[in-house]
Amino acid sequence: MNPQAKLLSITSLFLGSTITITSNHWIMAWTGLEINTLAILPLISKSHHPRAIEAATKYFLVQAAASALLLFSSMTNAWYTGQWDITQLTHPTSCLLLTTAISIKLGLVPFHFWFPEVLQGTSLTTGLLLATALKFPPITLLLLTSPSLNPTLLTILAVASTALGGWAGLNQTQTRKILAFSSISHLGWMAIILVYNPKLTLITFYLYCLMTIPIFLTLDTIKTLKLTTMSTAWTKIPPLTATLMLMLLSLAGLPPLTGFLPKWLIIQELTKQEMTPTATIIALLSLLGLFFYLRLAYCATITLPPNSINHMKQWQTNKSTKMFITTFITLSIMLLPLSPMIFTTS
């Protein structure tokens, strides 16, 4: 891809996200989301492979439909209340339409079908943008409107997303699809606590990004797209594939690692809100996700190739990339001791 075109796309992504995050008016927020959609399309389709073109087309159609629904929601609210302010979304129909629009944009169940297909059709680096950076503006809009949203509807969407994200990921052999279903499952955790503690949703999103970034970068470094190639990739950079297991277990939410923190805080908050059955259900559903994370970790570190072909170790890698990945790996594994500080700030 032309460097100038890539720079333009990435700059537009930053611009679109900034406009949406900082706006008070619905039209400005919608404009930022549209800029984001148009900026990511060249990055999705840059390989010119038919699967990439298909992914870009699916992404454009879904995001355009969601944006139209969001605009319709804000216009309905303005029609009834005379308010274009994002925080003044009070009309029930507008709130329902907005929840649907943002669910489509994020890929929450039952509007999740596009996300694994789009992630599968693009490269790992673009997939990383789709799974992290492009989810931030819609989540910001949900945070701003959270007092007006229907908690029952969000709880149903959240439990369904956690269930399907874990269940559908069990049978996958493509790493990008597994990470897509992992993202859907984590979105369920964010949505369930949104109405009761919006700050906790934001903390969960930040920590999810922190754990997902090094996994995508590691898979991109060792050039692994399938579980079968992952089982023989340990010979390329052994220390990186060894830490990949810890990162995956952190994403699964096992206790000594960073990923345990958001799940712990969310279950605690749900219990405070007298939603113990919901907390129990969502905690049990996360065990489905744990299974496929363990399978990924097993393929990455324990499985040995059934042949004795010598493989040259990849000693020399890009030093700046190495430092970047190392920093994120450390954060994705060792942030749990900071939890008392997070308690005091939230």
Side-chain angles (χ1 to χ4, degrees):
M1 189 178 181
N2 189 340
Q4 283 83 9
K6 188 181 280 189
L7 179 65
L8 182 64
S9 292
I10 292 169
T11 310
S12 300
L13 277 176
F14 276 112
L15 177 68
S17 299
T18 308
I19 288 172
T20 304
I21 291 161
T22 56
S23 59
N24 291 317
H25 198 284
W26 275 115
I27 297 294
M28 287 302 291
W30 172 80
T31 306
L33 291 172
E34 286 300 294
I35 291 171
N36 266 356
T37 302
L38 294 174
I40 196 70
L41 289 175
L43 295 175
I44 296 173
S45 58
K46 66 181 176 183
S47 65
H48 301 295
H49 190 275
R51 190 181 282 272
I53 303 298
E54 181 190 340
T57 309
K58 283 178 180 175
Y59 184 79
F60 173 72
L61 291 173
V62 169
Q63 296 297 314
S67 293
L69 207 55
L70 184 135
L71 200 56
F72 182 52
S73 160
S74 56
M75 285 174 67
T76 308
N77 187 67
W79 179 270
Y80 282 104
T81 64
Q83 288 286 343
W84 281 99
D85 196 302
I86 293 176
T87 55
Q88 302 298 319
L89 191 80
T90 51
H91 195 262
T93 309
S94 299
C95 293
L96 183 64
L97 287 170
L98 178 82
T99 307
T100 308
I102 300 293
S103 299
I104 295 171
K105 279 203 166 289
L106 291 173
L108 279 169
V109 174
F111 313 106
H112 65 285
F113 298 102
W114 64 273
F115 189 56
E117 297 299 323
V118 170
L119 220 63
Q120 178 62 25
T122 186
S123 65
L124 279 163
T125 44
T126 311
L128 172 59
L129 284 173
L130 287 168
T132 54
L134 285 174
K135 293 218 186 306
F136 191 39
I139 284 178
T140 308
L141 292 179
L142 274 184
L143 287 169
L144 290 170
T145 55
S146 58
S148 311
L149 301 180
N150 186 342
T152 311
L153 177 63
L154 279 172
T155 303
I156 292 167
L157 290 176
V159 172
S161 297
T162 313
L164 189 128
W167 196 260
L170 292 178
N171 204 29
Q172 299 298 329
T173 56
Q174 302 284 337
T175 52
R176 284 170 294 183
K177 276 199 174 179
I178 290 173
L179 289 168
F181 285 114
S182 155
S183 177
I184 292 168
S185 179
H186 278 85
L187 281 170
W189 282 87
M190 293 173 214
I192 202 164
I193 205 66
L194 179 71
V195 175
Y196 307 105
N197 193 338
K199 282 185 183 176
L200 198 45
T201 300
L202 209 53
I203 290 169
T204 308
F205 177 71
Y206 289 153
L207 291 176
Y208 164 72
C209 290
L210 210 58
M211 292 180 289
T212 305
I213 288 168
I215 291 175
F216 269 99
L217 292 176
T218 301
L219 292 175
D220 189 49
T221 305
I222 60 178
K223 301 290 180 282
T224 303
L225 298 176
K226 294 185 289 185
L227 290 182
T228 49
T229 53
M230 186 180 269
S231 60
T232 56
W234 67 274
T235 52
K236 292 181 182 175
I237 312 176
L240 199 58
T241 43
T243 51
L244 180 60
M245 180 181 73
L246 287 175
M247 288 185 275
L248 288 164
L249 294 179
S250 179
L251 200 58
L254 286 186
L257 305 166
T258 304
F260 176 63
L261 177 57
K263 288 183 168 60
W264 173 26
L265 293 175
I266 288 169
I267 289 171
Q268 186 182 29
E269 186 64 33
L270 287 173
T271 313
K272 282 180 189 173
Q273 300 292 337
E274 297 181 358
M275 294 176 68
T276 311
T278 312
T280 309
I281 290 166
I282 202 167
L284 289 173
L285 288 173
S286 68
L287 293 175
L288 290 169
L290 177 62
F291 176 81
F292 65 74
Y293 290 126
L294 282 172
R295 190 172 63 149
L296 269 172
Y298 175 83
C299 288
T301 52
I302 300 168
T303 308
L304 297 176
N307 55 49
S308 56
I309 298 170
N310 291 325
H311 193 290
M312 290 296 289
K313 285 188 172 57
Q314 191 177 338
W315 294 112
Q316 296 299 322
T317 53
N318 191 332
K319 287 186 177 180
S320 60
T321 310
K322 199 190 292 184
M323 276 300 298
F324 193 63
I325 296 177
T326 309
T327 307
F328 273 104
I329 287 172
T330 310
L331 292 173
S332 72
I333 295 171
M334 300 181 180
L335 268 189
L336 193 64
L338 291 181
S339 51
M341 187 177 75
I342 292 173
F343 279 138
T344 55
T345 53
S346 63

